[in-house]
Coordinates of all heavy atoms in Angstrom, one line a residue:
F1 N 72.6 -53.1 20.1 CA 71.3 -52.4 20.3 C 71.6 -51.0 20.7 O 70.9 -50.0 20.2 CB 70.4 -53.1 21.3 CG 69.2 -52.4 21.6 CD1 68.1 -52.5 20.7 CD2 69.0 -51.7 22.8 CE1 66.9 -51.8 21.0 CE2 67.9 -51.0 23.1 CZ 66.8 -51.1 22.2
F2 N 72.4 -50.8 21.7 CA 72.7 -49.4 22.3 C 73.6 -48.6 21.4 O 73.6 -47.4 21.4 CB 73.2 -49.5 23.7 CG 72.1 -50.0 24.7 CD1 72.2 -51.2 25.3 CD2 71.1 -49.2 25.0 CE1 71.3 -51.7 26.2 CE2 70.1 -49.6 25.9 CZ 70.2 -50.9 26.5
A3 N 74.6 -49.3 20.8 CA 75.6 -48.5 20.0 C 75.4 -48.5 18.5 O 76.2 -47.9 17.8 CB 77.0 -49.2 20.3
S4 N 74.3 -49.0 18.1 CA 74.1 -49.0 16.6 C 74.0 -47.6 16.0 O 74.4 -47.4 14.9 CB 72.8 -49.8 16.3 OG 71.7 -49.3 16.9
P5 N 73.4 -46.6 16.7 CA 73.4 -45.2 16.1 C 74.8 -44.7 15.9 O 75.0 -43.8 15.1 CB 72.7 -44.4 17.1 CG 71.9 -45.3 18.0 CD 72.6 -46.6 18.0
F6 N 75.8 -45.2 16.6 CA 77.2 -44.7 16.5 C 78.0 -45.5 15.5 O 79.2 -45.1 15.2 CB 77.9 -44.7 17.9 CG 77.2 -43.9 18.9 CD1 76.2 -44.4 19.7 CD2 77.5 -42.5 19.0 CE1 75.6 -43.6 20.6 CE2 76.9 -41.7 19.9 CZ 75.9 -42.2 20.7
T7 N 77.5 -46.6 15.0 CA 78.2 -47.4 14.0 C 78.4 -46.7 12.7 O 77.5 -46.1 12.2 CB 77.5 -48.8 13.8 OG1 77.3 -49.4 15.1 CG2 78.3 -49.7 12.9
G8 N 79.6 -46.7 12.2 CA 79.9 -46.0 10.9 C 80.4 -44.6 11.1 O 80.5 -43.9 10.1
L9 N 80.6 -44.1 12.3 CA 81.1 -42.8 12.4 C 82.5 -42.6 11.9 O 82.9 -41.6 11.3 CB 81.1 -42.4 13.9 CG 79.7 -42.1 14.5 CD1 79.9 -41.8 16.0 CD2 79.0 -41.0 13.8
I10 N 83.4 -43.6 12.2 CA 84.8 -43.5 11.9 C 85.1 -44.7 11.0 O 84.6 -45.8 11.3 CB 85.7 -43.6 13.1 CG1 85.3 -42.6 14.2 CG2 87.2 -43.5 12.8 CD1 85.6 -41.2 13.8
A11 N 85.8 -44.5 9.9 CA 86.2 -45.6 9.0 C 87.7 -45.7 9.0 O 88.4 -44.7 8.8 CB 85.6 -45.4 7.7
F12 N 88.3 -46.9 9.2 CA 89.7 -47.1 9.0 C 89.9 -48.1 7.9 O 89.3 -49.2 7.9 CB 90.3 -47.8 10.3 CG 90.3 -46.8 11.5 CD1 89.3 -46.9 12.5 CD2 91.3 -45.9 11.6 CE1 89.4 -46.1 13.6 CE2 91.3 -45.0 12.7 CZ 90.3 -45.1 13.7
A13 N 90.6 -47.8 6.9 CA 90.9 -48.6 5.8 C 91.6 -49.9 6.2 O 92.7 -49.8 6.7 CB 91.7 -47.9 4.7
G14 N 90.9 -51.0 6.0 CA 91.5 -52.3 6.2 C 91.5 -52.7 7.7 O 92.1 -53.8 8.0
H15 N 90.8 -52.0 8.6 CA 90.8 -52.3 10.0 C 89.3 -52.2 10.5 O 89.0 -51.3 11.2 CB 91.7 -51.4 10.8 CG 93.1 -51.4 10.5 ND1 93.9 -52.5 10.8 CD2 93.9 -50.5 9.8 CE1 95.1 -52.2 10.4 NE2 95.1 -51.1 9.7
P16 N 88.5 -53.2 10.1 CA 87.1 -53.1 10.5 C 86.9 -53.2 12.1 O 86.0 -52.7 12.7 CB 86.4 -54.2 9.8 CG 87.5 -55.2 9.4 CD 88.7 -54.3 9.3
K17 N 87.8 -54.0 12.7 CA 87.7 -54.2 14.1 C 88.0 -52.9 14.9 O 87.4 -52.6 15.8 CB 88.7 -55.3 14.6 CG 88.4 -55.8 16.0 CD 89.5 -56.8 16.5 CE 89.4 -58.1 15.7 NZ 90.4 -59.0 16.3
R18 N 89.0 -52.2 14.3 CA 89.4 -50.9 15.0 C 88.3 -49.9 14.8 O 88.0 -49.1 15.7 CB 90.7 -50.4 14.3 CG 91.1 -49.1 15.0 CD 92.4 -48.5 14.4 NE 93.5 -49.5 14.5 CZ 94.6 -49.3 13.8 NH1 94.8 -48.3 13.0 NH2 95.6 -50.2 13.9
A19 N 87.6 -49.9 13.7 CA 86.5 -49.0 13.4 C 85.3 -49.3 14.4 O 84.8 -48.3 15.0 CB 86.0 -49.1 12.0
V20 N 85.0 -50.5 14.6 CA 84.0 -50.9 15.6 C 84.4 -50.5 17.0 O 83.6 -50.0 17.8 CB 83.6 -52.4 15.5 CG1 82.7 -52.8 16.6 CG2 83.0 -52.7 14.2
T21 N 85.6 -50.7 17.3 CA 86.1 -50.4 18.7 C 86.0 -48.9 18.9 O 85.6 -48.4 20.0 CB 87.6 -50.8 18.8 OG1 87.7 -52.2 18.6 CG2 88.2 -50.4 20.2
V22 N 86.4 -48.1 17.9 CA 86.3 -46.6 18.1 C 84.9 -46.1 18.1 O 84.5 -45.3 19.0 CB 87.1 -45.9 17.0 CG1 86.9 -44.4 17.0 CG2 88.6 -46.2 17.1
D23 N 84.0 -46.6 17.2 CA 82.6 -46.3 17.2 C 81.9 -46.6 18.5 O 81.2 -45.8 19.1 CB 81.9 -46.9 16.0 CG 82.3 -46.4 14.7 OD1 82.9 -45.3 14.6 OD2 82.1 -47.1 13.7
W24 N 82.1 -47.8 19.0 CA 81.5 -48.2 20.2 C 82.1 -47.5 21.4 O 81.4 -47.3 22.4 CB 81.5 -49.8 20.4 CG 80.6 -50.5 19.5 CD1 79.9 -49.9 18.4 CD2 80.2 -51.8 19.6 NE1 79.1 -50.9 17.8 CE2 79.3 -52.1 18.5 CE3 80.5 -52.9 20.4 CZ2 78.7 -53.3 18.3 CZ3 79.9 -54.1 20.2 CH2 79.0 -54.3 19.1
G25 N 83.4 -47.2 21.3 CA 84.0 -46.4 22.4 C 83.4 -45.0 22.5 O 83.2 -44.5 23.6
I26 N 83.1 -44.4 21.3 CA 82.4 -43.1 21.3 C 81.0 -43.3 21.9 O 80.5 -42.4 22.7 CB 82.3 -42.6 19.9 CG1 83.7 -42.2 19.4 CG2 81.4 -41.4 19.8 CD1 83.8 -41.9 17.9
A27 N 80.3 -44.4 21.6 CA 79.0 -44.6 22.2 C 79.1 -44.8 23.7 O 78.2 -44.3 24.4 CB 78.4 -45.9 21.6
L28 N 80.1 -45.5 24.2 CA 80.3 -45.7 25.6 C 80.5 -44.3 26.3 O 79.8 -44.1 27.3 CB 81.5 -46.6 25.8 CG 81.9 -46.9 27.2 CD1 82.5 -48.3 27.2 CD2 82.9 -46.0 27.8
L29 N 81.3 -43.5 25.7 CA 81.5 -42.2 26.3 C 80.2 -41.3 26.3 O 79.9 -40.6 27.2 CB 82.7 -41.5 25.7 CG 84.0 -42.1 25.9 CD1 85.1 -41.4 25.1 CD2 84.4 -42.0 27.4
A30 N 79.5 -41.4 25.2 CA 78.3 -40.6 25.0 C 77.2 -41.0 26.0 O 76.6 -40.2 26.6 CB 77.7 -40.8 23.6
Y31 N 77.1 -42.4 26.3 CA 76.1 -42.8 27.3 C 76.5 -42.4 28.7 O 75.7 -41.9 29.5 CB 76.0 -44.3 27.2 CG 75.0 -44.8 26.2 CD1 75.4 -45.4 25.0 CD2 73.6 -44.6 26.4 CE1 74.5 -45.8 24.1 CE2 72.7 -45.0 25.4 CZ 73.1 -45.6 24.3 OH 72.2 -45.9 23.3
L32 N 77.8 -42.4 29.0 CA 78.3 -42.0 30.3 C 78.0 -40.5 30.5 O 77.6 -40.0 31.5 CB 79.7 -42.3 30.5 CG 80.1 -43.8 30.9 CD1 81.6 -43.9 31.0 CD2 79.4 -44.2 32.2
L33 N 78.4 -39.7 29.5 CA 78.2 -38.3 29.5 C 76.8 -37.9 29.6 O 76.4 -37.1 30.5 CB 78.9 -37.6 28.3 CG 78.9 -36.1 28.3 CD1 79.7 -35.5 29.5 CD2 79.4 -35.6 27.0
A34 N 75.9 -38.5 28.8 CA 74.5 -38.1 28.8 C 73.8 -38.6 30.1 O 73.0 -37.8 30.7 CB 73.8 -38.8 27.6
G35 N 74.2 -39.7 30.6 CA 73.7 -40.2 31.9 C 74.1 -39.3 33.0 O 73.3 -39.0 33.9
A36 N 75.3 -38.9 33.0 CA 75.8 -38.0 34.1 C 75.1 -36.6 34.1 O 74.7 -36.1 35.1 CB 77.3 -37.8 34.0
L37 N 74.9 -36.1 32.9 CA 74.3 -34.8 32.7 C 72.8 -34.9 33.1 O 72.3 -34.0 33.9 CB 74.4 -34.3 31.3 CG 75.8 -33.8 30.9 CD1 75.8 -33.4 29.4 CD2 76.3 -32.7 31.8
L38 N 72.1 -35.9 32.7 CA 70.7 -36.1 33.0 C 70.5 -36.4 34.5 O 69.6 -35.8 35.1 CB 70.1 -37.2 32.2 CG 68.6 -37.4 32.2 CD1 67.9 -36.2 31.8 CD2 68.2 -38.6 31.4
A39 N 71.4 -37.2 35.1 CA 71.3 -37.5 36.5 C 71.5 -36.2 37.3 O 70.9 -36.0 38.3 CB 72.3 -38.6 36.9
R40 N 72.5 -35.4 36.9 CA 72.8 -34.1 37.6 C 71.6 -33.2 37.5 O 71.3 -32.5 38.5 CB 74.0 -33.5 37.0 CG 74.3 -32.2 37.5 CD 75.6 -32.2 38.2 NE 75.8 -30.8 38.7 CZ 76.7 -30.5 39.6 NH1 77.4 -31.5 40.1 NH2 76.9 -29.3 39.9
L41 N 71.0 -33.1 36.4 CA 69.8 -32.2 36.2 C 68.7 -32.7 37.1 O 68.0 -31.9 37.8 CB 69.4 -32.2 34.7 CG 68.1 -31.4 34.4 CD1 68.3 -29.9 34.7 CD2 67.7 -31.6 33.0
I42 N 68.4 -34.0 37.1 CA 67.3 -34.5 38.0 C 67.7 -34.3 39.4 O 66.8 -34.0 40.2 CB 67.1 -36.0 37.6 CG1 66.6 -36.2 36.2 CG2 66.2 -36.7 38.6 CD1 66.5 -37.6 35.7
A43 N 68.9 -34.5 39.8 CA 69.3 -34.4 41.2 C 69.2 -32.9 41.6 O 68.8 -32.6 42.8 CB 70.8 -34.8 41.4
R44 N 69.5 -32.0 40.8 CA 69.3 -30.5 41.1 C 67.8 -30.2 41.4 O 67.5 -29.5 42.3 CB 69.8 -29.6 40.0 CG 71.3 -29.6 40.0 CD 71.8 -28.6 39.0 NE 71.6 -27.3 39.6 CZ 72.0 -26.2 39.1 NH1 72.8 -26.2 38.0 NH2 71.8 -25.0 39.7

């Protein structure tokens, strides 16, 4: 639900599990970064 916008960013030929791992890893980092920036703005 949370990582679906990031699905399909990276494609590895013959490695669908690796593609999902990288795509969802990017989503994980994006949520942490966006949350930290938004929280910092609100805290200021």
Side-chain angles (χ1 to χ4, degrees):
F1 174 79
F2 291 111
S4 61
F6 298 92
T7 303
L9 288 178
I10 307 291
F12 292 102
H15 299 286
K17 192 187 295 185
R18 185 181 301 166
V20 170
T21 300
V22 171
D23 290 343
W24 285 13
I26 292 170
L28 184 145
L29 293 175
Y31 275 107
L32 282 178
L33 183 64
L37 290 175
L38 187 60
R40 173 114 178 165
L41 176 67
I42 293 170
R44 287 188 70 172

